[in-house]
Amino acid sequence: MSMSGQRRAPLFEALKRHLARGCSGFHFPAHVGGRGLPLALTGELARLDLTELPGLDDLHAPTGPIARAQELAAALYGADHTFFLVNGSTAGIQALLLAATGPGQKVLLPRNIHRSVIGGLVLSGAEPVYVSPPFSREFSIPLPPEAVGVRAALAAHPDLAAVLWTHPDYHGLATLDAGVTAAVWGAGLPLLVDEAHGAHLPFHPALPFPALGLRAAAAVQSMHKLGGALTQGSLLHLKGPQVPADRVRRALALIQTASPSYLLMASLDLARRQLAVSGPRRVGRAVELAARLRQGLAVLDGVRVLDAGPGRGDPTKVVVSTGGLGLSGYEAAAVLDRQYGVQVEMAGSAYVLLVVGLGARVQDIVRALRAFRALTRERTRSSCRSDTADFCLPPAAEKVLTPRESWLLPARALPPEQAAGLVAAETISICPPGIPIVFPGEKLTAEVIQYILEIKVRGFAVQATDPELTSIIVH
């Protein structure tokens, strides 16, 4: 498709044409162009909050401007089919699992998957086969799984139906390379990719290679994370015949809301246009600002910045080890926010993650560097706590039930101290980034219970049935 076509925003233009007609609206949403909303919410965006009116198309059966907007997105990213998602990448990942797997079929996954994958496994009934990634003790983060581990898992499970991978991971590390993709393709399996953090990858050579360019059959991108769309706006791309588009369409009709937000869809349309017209410049600017931040941090005493190497990591994701400052990541994040007005994306036991996005400014980089300089003056290596960089995930537990089997069985709540040896009936994740540490259907070992108790003591932000972790749901 020509660049002149990419300068259009079909859905947004259709919404504007509709508003220009000046109709009297007797339909949902019944705020009628924002007039019934609280005053603080009114404005141009509120007027665009419309529904499936004549000329505005239908997300679940698109033939008009939504269809054209999706076609433009597919052309930009090199996909055969692209679907707009208004329930975030979660909906896309779960739809792919429903389309590509079924009850009793196996799917290969890295163990540091997003919690949304567990929901997809419950819906599809598929059985997970996990590959455990290596771990960085200095930064206290999982590293990309190695190709040798992928090949071993493929050989041990010749009955796999699909592979679902995360690329790049939450910390910006590239997890797909020629070795991994060759192994998956050699096994004849569809490669489904959670590319939530990769909507910007095609627009700058310093970034990891995008999934579709690495022979993925499908990729799901959170355009709201790094692509410039509103929160929850995401894209699902298909390439090749391995994942039938009609099955994905049916799965999305099952999962996504029957009242999709036109605000979110219009933001996807406009974000795609922005990336098509000025993506290299805008993403390049973010890369330059991130390089300035990295260079400034590199000269500070007690500060270490994760460097994956050219093409192996997203330079706009800046992972900073805090152990040399004598602080946990949580403590450092609290000080940065409270004292210096610098808010990070994520804090871990031994690091903080800063994301330099399309909206970053020079003054933001200057402010962050000033804050870290102040931290290095206030803290010394002699004050470093011995436990900040030594909080690793426990060994993988025994899988007793599939997530779907666990979901359907009766369960009860018990204090963590009484749950050792029982089977977990829920997902427990540290969030962000939403990576599970307890999977439904796995036996709760003594090591896992100790890890949960340590999380409770340290006050980590947790997503669980009981966020205070006074109880765990078990079978």
Side-chain angles (χ1 to χ4, degrees):
M1 189 170 290
S2 67
M3 178 53 71
S4 61
Q6 290 289 354
R7 294 182 184 277
R8 300 294 302 275
L11 179 56
F12 177 72
E13 292 163 9
L15 290 169
K16 295 291 286 185
R17 285 195 300 270
H18 176 85
L19 292 179
R21 293 177 60 198
C23 298
S24 295
F26 298 91
H27 52 71
F28 292 119
H31 56 66
V32 190
R35 293 196 295 273
L37 288 173
L39 185 60
L41 293 177
T42 59
E44 179 68 6
L45 282 180
R47 297 184 68 223
L48 296 174
D49 186 23
L50 295 166
T51 189
E52 293 90 347
L53 300 170
L56 297 186
D57 212 355
D58 180 348
L59 177 63
H60 295 294
T63 58
I66 295 177
R68 291 193 293 275
Q70 291 182 150
E71 290 165 2
L72 285 167
L76 180 64
Y77 282 97
D80 295 333
H81 303 276
T82 292
F83 300 89
F84 280 5
L85 306 176
V86 294
N87 293 69
S89 287
T90 292
I93 290 166
Q94 294 178 350
L96 284 179
L97 285 169
L98 275 171
T101 67
Q105 293 184 314
K106 294 181 180 179
V107 56
L108 186 67
L109 309 159
R111 191 165 177 84
N112 57 323
I113 54 172
H114 188 265
R115 64 193 300 268
S116 62
V117 177
I118 300 299
L121 295 172
V122 170
L123 292 171
S124 72
E127 178 184 346
V129 175
Y130 298 116
V131 176
S132 293
F135 198 83
S136 167
R137 286 186 173 272
E138 178 181 5
F139 290 91
S140 193
I141 63 172
L143 298 174
E146 298 171 349
V148 62
V150 176
R151 288 193 293 268
L154 292 170
H157 299 274
D159 53 346
L160 284 163
V163 175
L164 194 154
W165 219 243
T166 305
H167 169 84
D169 66 15
Y170 184 79
H171 303 98
L173 298 177
T175 64
L176 284 178
D177 57 25
V180 172
T181 54
V184 175
W185 270 81
L189 297 173
L191 176 59
L192 319 176
V193 180
D194 175 355
E195 201 176 26
H197 292 264
H200 63 317
L201 296 186
F203 303 99
H204 197 278
L207 300 174
F209 216 62
L212 292 186
L214 292 167
R215 304 175 75 186
V220 178
Q221 299 169 333
S222 292
M223 285 288 279
H224 63 91
K225 285 186 169 69
L226 293 160
L230 292 175
T231 298
Q232 289 183 221
S234 300
L235 300 175
L236 189 163
H237 305 295
L238 299 180
K239 190 166 187 176
Q242 287 182 299
V243 183
D246 62 334
R247 285 188 60 83
V248 172
R249 191 174 292 108
R250 288 166 54 205
L252 287 174
L254 177 69
I255 291 172
Q256 293 217 96
T257 175
S259 303
S261 167
Y262 273 76
L263 287 176
L264 296 185
M265 291 188 288
S267 80
L268 286 170
D269 196 20
L270 292 172
R272 183 272 313 155
R273 184 178 71 177
Q274 177 174 269
L275 287 172
V277 173
S278 59
R281 176 176 61 82
R282 291 175 179 273
V283 176
R285 177 64 170 162
V287 170
E288 291 172 5
L289 289 174
R292 180 170 174 174
L293 176 60
R294 288 172 172 273
Q295 291 162 4
L297 291 170
V299 301
L300 299 181
D301 186 41
V303 173
R304 285 267 294 155
V305 180
L306 180 66
D307 183 7
R312 299 301 306 159
D314 179 353
T316 68
K317 297 282 194 74
V318 184
V319 181
V320 184
S321 172
T322 59
L325 298 172
L327 295 168
S328 72
Y330 295 95
E331 292 168 332
V335 173
L336 288 169
D337 180 19
R338 185 173 59 250
Q339 297 185 21
Y340 305 103
V342 174
Q343 296 183 324
V344 301
E345 160 62 17
M346 165 68 179
S349 61
Y351 74 94
V352 292
L353 167 64
L354 294 86
V355 178
V356 182
L358 301 184
R361 304 167 299 174
V362 171
Q363 54 263 46
D364 299 321
I365 304 302
V366 171
R367 189 177 196 177
L369 288 174
R370 186 182 300 122
F372 274 98
R373 290 191 194 102
L375 280 184
T376 61
R377 289 194 298 267
E378 296 168 7
R379 307 288 175 171
T380 64
R381 288 182 181 275
S382 62
S383 68
C384 180
R385 289 174 14 179
S386 61
D387 63 344
T388 57
D390 193 29
F391 188 49
C392 299
L393 291 171
E398 176 189 356
K399 184 174 59 183
V400 179
L401 303 167
T402 68
R404 183 181 186 129
E405 290 169 340
S406 173
W407 177 264
L408 295 174
L409 285 177
R412 56 189 172 132
L414 286 178
E417 298 85 350
Q418 299 177 26
L422 300 178
V423 177
E426 67 170 321
T427 303
I428 299 177
S429 307
I430 297 176
C431 194
I435 295 172
I437 53 176
V438 170
F439 291 80
E442 288 189 342
K443 183 175 289 188
L444 291 163
T445 63
E447 293 87 351
V448 170
I449 294 298
Q450 183 58 44
Y451 190 88
I452 292 171
L453 294 174
E454 184 67 18
I455 285 172
K456 181 178 177 181
V457 169
R458 296 188 185 213
F460 289 7
V462 170
Q463 287 184 338
T465 304
D466 176 9
E468 301 297 323
L469 294 180
T470 59
S471 64
I472 302 176
I473 307 300
V474 298
H475 298 299

